[in-house]
Amino acid sequence: MSKIANRDWADDEEFDDPTSLPPQTVTTNKDGTKTIITFSLNDTGKKVKTTRRIRTTVKTEKVNPRVAERKAWLKFGLEKAKPEGPSVDTTTVGENIFFRPSVTWKRDGKDEKKQAEEESMKDKLRDKKVKCRICDGEHFTARCPYKDTMAPAGEEPAAGAGGAGGEEEKEGGLGQGGSSYVPPHLRKGGAGVGERMSGSGGKYERDDLATLRVTNVSEFADEAELRNIFERFGRVTRVFLAKDRETGRAKGFAFVSFADRVDAQRACDKLDGYLYEYLVLKVEFAKRAT
């Protein structure tokens, strides 16, 4: 009785800790494979036994010398004094993925995107039928065999110069093919190419020589301000201020067109040397483009 009373409860071999796990066991089989048995606790606190059977295959390959050197380094920390190679209880060995970058990866990506767009377009047009606008056939209009001899469906063919009945072509016959417009030089009594549409003798007839070229213009100038300055000498028909597309500021020159050359001459005499936006304007008649 005294012997039993002097025993420590921690020395009892029959005591079982519910949270303690048996160690991992590795068994080598006759066929060269290994059976690894591990124990773990699940979410509910119960012990789970996991049995894995693996086969080790030795594969020789050429690797970077620095990679081979790192594999021979001595282990440290919890892995100290363990053999070389990954430990099965701390490392999961997976398949090695080799990354080989391609020089033409941009072009390959564009080709794949273009191919996907073509396939999507084919899917959209798969159930649609091609119909010719000339003969209503199942082909493209550009490949129609009657495109030079027939008019599109629903339109009347244009009458030829030598039509049936021998009728004379009326005045302005060029406009009978669907449009009533006739060029001025082909009208009856036309004065020829370059006839002015506004007639002759008008007070505000356009004069190509009534355009002034204004230089040394401030970059902060405005078309409305220039128009107000020049309109004091006569009717201004057009003001063009050259501006930069990116900044939107003036480039330093402008063109002002007057309805009358006399007004343009007076404005040129008065405004040449005029102070505008802290700059002295230079005004002269614009030269015709040759």
Side-chain angles (χ1 to χ4, degrees), residues 213-218 252-254 272 279-284:
R213 184 173 185 267
V214 186
T215 56
N216 201 28
V217 180
S218 172
F253 66 93
D272 187 22
L279 294 177
V280 179
L281 298 180
K282 180 177 178 56
V283 184
E284 58 184 351

Side-chain angles (χ1 to χ4, degrees), residues 3-290:
K3 186 178 181 180
I4 296 176
N6 293 333
R7 288 183 58 186
D8 190 1
W9 62 271
D11 298 334
D12 191 359
E13 296 180 358
E14 297 180 357
F15 178 76
D16 189 11
D17 186 3
T19 59
S20 63
L21 297 176
Q24 174 181 289
T25 59
V26 179
T27 305
T28 304
N29 303 319
K30 295 181 179 180
D31 57 354
T33 60
K34 293 182 179 180
T35 302
I36 303 174
I37 301 175
T38 57
F39 297 88
S40 61
L41 297 175
N42 58 10
D43 297 337
T44 59
K46 295 182 179 180
K47 294 182 181 180
V48 178
K49 178 181 178 182
T50 304
T51 303
R52 292 183 299 169
R53 189 172 184 180
I54 62 174
R55 180 185 296 274
T56 304
T57 303
V58 179
K59 183 178 180 181
T60 304
E61 61 180 6
K62 294 182 180 180
V63 297
N64 192 299
R66 295 182 179 179
V67 177
E69 182 182 356
R70 286 197 298 268
K71 290 182 177 180
W73 287 354
L74 297 177
K75 295 184 178 182
F76 57 91
L78 298 178
E79 298 292 322
K80 189 176 182 180
K82 290 188 177 181
E84 295 183 359
S87 180
V88 293
D89 55 346
T90 58
T91 307
T92 301
V93 181
E95 181 182 0
N96 292 332
I97 299 177
F98 298 96
F99 175 70
R100 295 182 178 88
S102 175
V103 180
T104 60
W105 63 273
K106 287 187 176 180
R107 185 178 61 188
D108 297 341
K110 291 181 180 179
D111 294 342
E112 293 178 358
K113 184 177 180 181
K114 185 177 180 181
Q115 184 178 1
E117 291 178 356
E118 292 179 355
E119 292 178 354
S120 63
M121 184 61 65
K122 289 181 180 179
D123 295 339
K124 292 179 181 179
L125 299 177
R126 183 171 298 172
D127 299 333
K128 295 184 179 180
K129 295 182 179 180
V130 180
K131 185 177 181 180
C132 177
R133 297 193 302 270
I134 298 178
C135 64
D136 294 338
E138 294 184 357
H139 54 261
F140 291 101
T141 306
R143 299 181 181 179
C144 180
Y146 307 105
K147 63 180 180 179
D148 297 330
T149 57
M150 294 177 59
E155 297 183 7
E156 296 181 0
E167 297 181 358
E168 296 182 359
E169 184 178 357
K170 298 182 181 180
E171 179 183 347
L174 291 177
Q176 295 179 359
S179 175
S180 60
Y181 174 75
V182 180
H185 67 281
L186 295 178
R187 298 175 186 172
K188 186 176 181 180
V193 181
E195 178 188 7
R196 295 194 175 184
M197 302 292 290
S198 59
S200 60
K203 179 179 179 182
Y204 299 118
E205 182 180 358
R206 179 176 175 180
D207 186 359
D208 293 337
L209 298 178
T211 301
L212 300 177
R213 184 173 185 267
V214 186
T215 56
N216 201 28
V217 180
S218 172
E219 62 178 359
F220 302 104
D222 184 67
E223 288 186 2
E225 295 179 357
L226 290 176
R227 179 180 289 273
N228 293 335
I229 293 174
F230 283 88
E231 273 185 344
R232 292 181 292 177
F233 303 94
R235 181 174 178 270
V236 176
T237 58
R238 177 174 177 266
V239 177
F240 171 74
L241 178 62
K243 293 184 179 181
D244 188 88
R245 293 182 178 179
E246 296 181 357
T247 62
R249 297 182 178 180
K251 289 185 175 181
F253 66 93
F255 291 93
V256 180
S257 300
F258 283 84
D260 192 353
R261 180 177 173 80
V262 177
D263 298 337
Q265 182 65 52
R266 187 166 64 254
C268 181
D269 296 338
K270 296 293 183 179
L271 295 178
D272 187 22
Y274 179 76
L275 184 63
Y276 172 67
E277 291 287 346
Y278 305 103
L279 294 177
V280 179
L281 298 180
K282 180 177 178 56
V283 184
E284 58 184 351
F285 277 92
K287 298 179 181 179
R288 282 190 175 184
T290 56

